[in-house]
Amino acid sequence: AEVRTLTGHLGWVTSVTFSPDGKRIVSGSWDKTVKIWDAETGAEVCTLSGFSTKVTSVAFSPDGTRIVCGSVECILKIWDAATGAEVCTLAGHSSAVISVSFSPDGKRVVSVSEDRVAKIWCSFTGAQVCTLTGVRAV
């Protein structure tokens, strides 16, 4: 049975996930925003803006303190999950970012793009750690 409907995005929702503690939900949309929701009440906690085009992928850090988002504009952004402040922007892909994820220790972020490249980044500074080429995106 349906427990809750989250209403607020003005475009297709492309990615959604729970925070590690299950108290928050983050969603990314074609409306160029990322929203943080209270998982219990369904209330919108805040909207993260700053993309000029569609958001494709979202993920919480393992400790739930940060959110990484990928977009069609070839960049990633890391946000403070508590304040909604942008921590850093990661640029380096030449095509749309398809998927993003934090490492289990939260120190790294991995992204894959339509450019058939996966990149590993420092999640604190945004510095590119390594590039993996020839990746086949599905």
Side-chain angles (χ1 to χ4, degrees), residues 1-137:
E2 182 179 311
V3 176
R4 184 92 49 232
T5 299
L6 307 176
T7 305
H9 280 294
L10 301 176
W12 293 100
V13 173
T14 54
S15 184
V16 62
T17 191
F18 277 98
S19 62
D21 65 5
K23 293 181 179 179
R24 297 279 190 256
I25 296 169
V26 64
S27 58
S29 171
W30 282 13
D31 68 5
K32 308 174 192 173
T33 68
V34 173
K35 293 187 181 286
I36 302 173
W37 310 85
D38 182 293
E40 181 65 29
T41 66
E44 183 180 319
V45 175
C46 80
T47 298
L48 309 177
S49 302
F51 289 104
S52 63
T53 190
K54 302 169 187 173
V55 176
T56 55
S57 184
V58 297
F60 271 101
S61 61
D63 64 4
T65 62
R66 292 171 294 150
I67 296 167
V68 63
C69 311
S71 75
V72 171
E73 66 187 290
C74 314
I75 63 169
L76 294 77
K77 289 184 180 282
I78 297 177
W79 308 83
D80 182 295
T83 67
E86 185 178 323
V87 175
C88 61
T89 297
L90 296 69
H93 284 291
S94 62
S95 193
V97 175
I98 298 168
S99 185
V100 296
S101 182
F102 276 93
S103 62
D105 63 6
K107 294 180 181 178
R108 303 279 187 253
V109 166
V110 63
S111 59
V112 66
S113 168
E114 289 179 351
D115 60 12
R116 296 184 61 187
V117 171
K119 293 185 179 284
I120 300 173
W121 315 80
C122 173
S123 68
F124 300 105
T125 66
Q128 203 173 121
V129 176
C130 113
T131 299
L132 308 170
T133 58
V135 177
R136 292 189 106 171

